[in-house]
């Protein structure tokens, strides 16, 4: 355990997706120091084998631990479903993971379906299958291979994204969709673009705020919440493109 309140909170994702969680974290916990790591050189995680994802996650987490983090946020549904259990067993600092927000979404269903958009790995893992068994009545799992890449490329709008979404969501045009779960942290940056493909009134939910609230709870109960001083954000990536950090900064300010 690292009892230093001033130590950073480590937060990571396969790329820039977790910035959507970081953004929420900065808003709700303005005094914390955040160290964000985007594993951009190895993205995407969601179409690799669980074994490959686990290996990358272990490498990234070791790197963050070496920097003295006091808590870890897995700002990635894919990495959480593959690695959270093993990380919680191995680490003695708080580990906060993510899962598609199917539980809150199930409360918003009124006769139609709940569409869960996530990566193929997330949707195939035991964690999600358990979630489906408990809250999945009327839910449809929709794997979206290729969608996170639009965000990684900085292509947050335009005809190619629109065509991709049209093709993906066409089968649901004639169905009543009450709620759409954005089950990958990258998709939060495409919220409006995705919403356009559904009738007005369809609710889109993500797990970002819930994750940060859970972080705050864990920091509070372990006495690690930083209550004074200025917060800060450090952005790092495994990719050597100089623009990569710049892109993260832009998304953080969006
Ligand atoms: N942002 C990630 C998630 O929440 C993973 C996307 C990917 O690397 O495929 O699932």
């Amino acid at each position: 355990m690292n009892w230093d309140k001033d130590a950073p909170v480590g937060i990571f994702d396969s790329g820039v997706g977790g910035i959507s969680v970081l953004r929420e974290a900065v808003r709700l916990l303005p005094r914390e120091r955040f160290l964000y790591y985007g594993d951009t050189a190895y993205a995407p995680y969601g179409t690799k084998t669980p074994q490959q994802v686990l290996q990358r996650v272990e490498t990234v987490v070791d790197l963050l631990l070496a920097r003295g983090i006091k808590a870890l946020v897995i700002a990635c549904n894919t990495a959480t479903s593959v690695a959270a259990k093993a990380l919680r067993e191995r680490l003695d600092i708080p580990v906060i993971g993510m899962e598609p927000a199917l539980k809150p979404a199930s409360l918003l269903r009124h006769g139609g379906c709940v569409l869960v958009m996530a990566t193929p790995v997330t949707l195939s893992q035991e964690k999600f299958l358990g979630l489906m068994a408990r809250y999945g009545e009327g839910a449809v799992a929709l794997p979206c291979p290729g969608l996170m890449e639009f965000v990684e490329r900085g292509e947050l709008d335009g005809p190619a994204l629109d065509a991709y979404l049209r093709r993906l969501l066409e089968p649901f045009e004639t169905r009543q969709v009450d709620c759409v779960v954005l089950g990958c942290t990258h998709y939060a940056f495409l919220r409006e673009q995705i919403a356009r493909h559904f009738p007005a009134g369809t609710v889109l939910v993500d797990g970002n705020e819930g994750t940060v609230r859970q972080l705050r709870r864990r920091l509070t109960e372990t006495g690690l919440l930083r209550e004074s001083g200025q917060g800060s954000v450090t952005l790092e990536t495994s990719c050597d493109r100089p623009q990569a950090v710049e892109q993260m900064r832009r998304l953080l300010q969006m």
Side-chain angles (χ1 to χ4, degrees), residues 39-107:
D39 198 15
T40 315
Y42 295 88
Y45 283 176
T47 46
K48 292 195 165 52
T49 66
Q51 197 47 39
Q52 286 170 320
V53 176
L54 189 61
Q55 241 166 39
R56 275 318 298 170
V57 170
E58 297 281 355
T59 305
V60 170
V61 169
D62 285 344
L63 202 137
L64 290 170
L65 286 173
R67 302 283 293 277
I69 56 169
K70 65 176 179 183
L72 176 73
V73 179
I74 313 171
C76 175
N77 296 264
T78 309
T80 301
S81 47
V82 171
K85 197 158 167 267
L87 289 174
R88 288 201 178 101
E89 278 163 17
R90 177 161 81 90
L91 310 186
D92 60 359
I93 56 171
V95 175
I96 291 89
M98 298 196 73
E99 64 184 19
L102 181 55
K103 187 179 167 184
S106 67
L107 303 172

Side-chain angles (χ1 to χ4, degrees), residues 17-248:
I19 298 279
S20 65
V21 181
L22 177 64
R23 198 168 56 173
E24 207 57 36
V26 170
R27 188 174 71 82
L28 292 175
L29 299 168
R31 302 202 183 281
E32 291 297 336
R33 295 176 162 157
F34 294 101
L35 170 57
Y36 183 88
Y37 192 86
D39 198 15
T40 315
Y42 295 88
Y45 283 176
T47 46
K48 292 195 165 52
T49 66
Q51 197 47 39
Q52 286 170 320
V53 176
L54 189 61
Q55 241 166 39
R56 275 318 298 170
V57 170
E58 297 281 355
T59 305
V60 170
V61 169
D62 285 344
L63 202 137
L64 290 170
L65 286 173
R67 302 283 293 277
I69 56 169
K70 65 176 179 183
L72 176 73
V73 179
I74 313 171
C76 175
N77 296 264
T78 309
T80 301
S81 47
V82 171
K85 197 158 167 267
L87 289 174
R88 288 201 178 101
E89 278 163 17
R90 177 161 81 90
L91 310 186
D92 60 359
I93 56 171
V95 175
I96 291 89
M98 298 196 73
E99 64 184 19
L102 181 55
K103 187 179 167 184
S106 67
L107 303 172
L108 299 169
R109 195 174 80 89
H110 43 87
C113 77
V114 170
L115 196 60
V116 185
M117 298 174 69
T119 70
V121 168
T122 298
L123 298 176
S124 69
Q125 294 301 292
E126 216 179 292
K127 187 171 168 60
F128 180 70
L129 301 181
L131 206 59
M132 275 296 259
R134 290 184 70 180
Y135 306 105
E137 198 189 331
V140 179
L142 180 64
C144 309
L147 184 52
M148 71 80 85
E149 284 88 337
F150 283 94
V151 182
E152 286 296 316
R153 288 193 298 267
E155 209 178 323
L156 300 184
D157 216 337
L161 174 64
D162 209 51
Y164 173 99
L165 288 172
R166 206 168 330 112
R167 215 171 30 248
L168 184 78
L169 299 172
E170 204 181 279
F172 302 94
E173 257 170 29
T174 52
R175 294 181 64 167
Q176 180 191 331
V177 178
D178 294 329
C179 187
V180 178
V181 177
L182 304 176
C184 164
T185 51
H186 283 78
Y187 307 166
F189 291 114
L190 303 173
R191 176 180 284 269
E192 280 154 37
Q193 292 73 9
I194 293 170
R196 261 188 237 145
H197 292 261
F198 295 94
T202 309
V203 186
L204 278 74
V205 297
D206 64 50
N208 291 1
E209 192 179 324
T211 302
V212 176
R213 289 191 186 284
Q214 176 65 2
L215 169 65
R216 181 160 64 191
R217 256 194 304 275
R218 293 301 310 279
L219 291 177
T220 305
E221 69 197 21
T222 46
L224 286 169
L225 189 73
R226 193 164 188 258
E227 281 148 324
S228 59
Q230 256 213 321
S232 64
V233 171
T234 305
L235 300 170
E236 292 183 7
T237 159
S238 53
C239 140
D240 50 16
R241 264 187 317 121
Q243 307 92 310
V245 170
E246 207 29 64
Q247 187 195 0
M248 287 179 177

